[in-house]
Amino acid sequence: MLPSNCISLIFSGLVIIETIVTEAGLFISIQSTETSAACSRCGAVSVRQHSSYLRHVQDTPIGLFVVWLQLKVRRFRCDNSNCKRQTFAEQHLDLVDRRRRRTNRLLTQLVHIGLALGGAAGARLASKLAMAASASTLLRLLHQIEVPAIEEPRVIGIDDWAFRKGRDYGTIIIDHETGKPIDLLPERDCETVKQWLQKHPTIEVVTRDRSGEYREAITQALPDAIQIADRWHLLLNLGEAIQRHISRRYKAVRQLLVASAEAEDIEQADSQITGFVNQKVALPRFA
């Protein structure tokens, strides 16, 4: 039996009646300490009990023991004559929502696992932690998460986004002040980006690549916004320009290398210049 001073911390407004340990896990029988309940339809408080039933919900594990709560739920008679509901069941929404088979805190843990690992990998980890859930369940929980409200952006970045590399591309939009993505657009054409920008007139600065589609979209939707070529693409363009410059002057560069390499033969000099011209420029990554 758990200490009495811990019960209120684990089960607010509930009391533990019995605990049973079996091979299937730990079963904890609990019931409410309240003598009345409010009707879920009209809000009228009633003390007249009609009946009761047991509700089984899974809770967060203790150690690696699966924990099942056997919650005794009472039904009360509604004393409001104008209410269409004659009886109603008491609710413990701080512990478990309506028609749920898992407690709120267990669902919170599963959501964190799903956010970190996704469906299949998250299901494997959850099973090891005695919180078994299928991959589809984790994905369904992720889809039910309420998306937090996004403040109107002021400085954004726009670039290509590969839904399927080499085939399907869209547009990703980053809020530079928070460093987080704020939207994914299904296409990367001028009209799609333009329509999105017109819905966000607070934007003052936009960083982008050298794409003409993005330039036209920003110019038409936000003519007063400052357009900035981002550092990554500037370095990429610089590297490509240097490669083109050296390629056009291959003979002159080759002669300089041969002249400066007294101990090296011409074939080694050829391989150096060819490798330099053909190599890809390694660009730094920015946070």
Side-chain angles (χ1 to χ4, degrees):
M1 181 72 68
L2 293 174
S4 58
N5 59 347
C6 294
I7 295 176
S8 60
L9 297 177
I10 302 176
F11 306 112
S12 177
L14 300 169
V15 62
I16 296 178
I17 304 301
E18 183 182 15
T19 58
I20 302 175
V21 179
T22 68
E23 294 182 356
L26 173 62
F27 292 83
I28 303 177
S29 299
I30 57 178
Q31 69 178 29
S32 176
T33 58
E34 303 294 333
T35 58
S36 61
C39 177
S40 56
R41 185 179 183 86
C42 67
V45 177
S46 174
V47 297
R48 294 196 301 149
Q49 184 175 336
H50 175 270
S51 59
S52 64
Y53 62 92
L54 290 179
R55 182 180 178 185
H56 295 80
V57 295
Q58 186 180 354
D59 198 12
T60 50
I62 297 179
L64 291 179
F65 272 94
V66 178
V67 176
W68 290 93
L69 302 181
Q70 295 179 329
L71 176 61
K72 182 180 179 181
V73 181
R74 297 169 297 176
R75 294 193 68 86
F76 289 83
R77 299 181 184 276
C78 184
D79 294 329
N80 184 0
S81 58
N82 297 324
C83 182
K84 296 181 179 180
R85 185 165 295 172
Q86 296 181 351
T87 64
F88 62 91
E90 61 180 346
Q91 300 295 328
H92 304 281
L93 299 180
D94 55 337
L95 177 66
V96 58
D97 287 339
R98 294 172 178 269
R99 301 180 180 87
R100 291 283 193 180
R101 295 298 304 276
R102 295 180 176 90
T103 60
N104 296 333
R105 53 193 172 205
L106 176 57
L107 291 176
T108 300
Q109 298 298 322
L110 292 176
V111 166
H112 288 316
I113 292 175
L115 288 173
L117 298 177
R124 290 193 293 269
L125 177 61
S127 178
K128 296 293 184 181
L129 298 178
M131 297 185 288
S134 66
S136 59
T137 296
L138 292 180
L139 295 178
R140 184 171 63 252
L141 292 176
L142 295 182
H143 290 157
Q144 294 174 356
I145 297 177
E146 293 185 5
V147 179
I150 300 176
E151 295 183 1
E152 285 298 321
R154 192 181 64 87
V155 182
I156 66 170
I158 297 179
D159 204 352
D160 294 340
W161 169 266
F163 291 101
R164 188 174 181 182
K165 193 172 183 179
R167 298 189 62 178
D168 300 326
Y169 285 89
T171 299
I172 184 171
I173 300 176
I174 305 292
D175 187 335
H176 278 311
E177 293 184 314
T178 62
K180 297 180 180 180
I182 55 178
D183 210 343
L184 292 176
L185 307 183
E187 304 292 341
R188 54 179 175 177
D189 59 275
C190 175
E191 189 61 29
T192 301
V193 177
K194 174 184 173 182
Q195 291 178 2
W196 189 92
L197 293 173
Q198 288 175 337
K199 297 177 182 178
H200 301 80
T202 59
I203 296 174
E204 301 174 5
V205 180
V206 182
T207 65
R208 58 172 178 81
D209 59 14
R210 310 296 288 182
S211 169
E213 294 281 343
Y214 291 155
R215 182 186 67 249
E216 290 299 323
I218 299 170
T219 302
Q220 295 177 20
L222 303 171
D224 297 330
I226 300 174
Q227 299 187 40
I228 302 174
D230 61 65
R231 291 178 292 179
W232 191 92
H233 286 93
L234 286 177
L235 289 174
L236 176 64
N237 295 338
L238 176 61
E240 293 175 348
I242 292 174
Q243 287 181 335
R244 290 194 301 269
H245 181 79
I246 294 177
S247 298
R248 288 195 294 266
R249 292 160 179 79
Y250 178 84
K251 290 183 179 181
V253 176
R254 178 176 177 276
Q255 291 175 359
L256 289 174
L257 287 176
V258 172
S260 62
E262 299 177 353
E264 297 177 356
D265 55 19
I266 296 179
E267 292 183 359
Q268 188 172 356
D270 284 340
S271 64
Q272 288 182 357
I273 184 60
T274 303
F276 178 77
V277 172
N278 294 332
Q279 71 179 349
K280 294 182 178 179
V281 178
L283 297 176
R285 300 182 66 180
F286 298 99

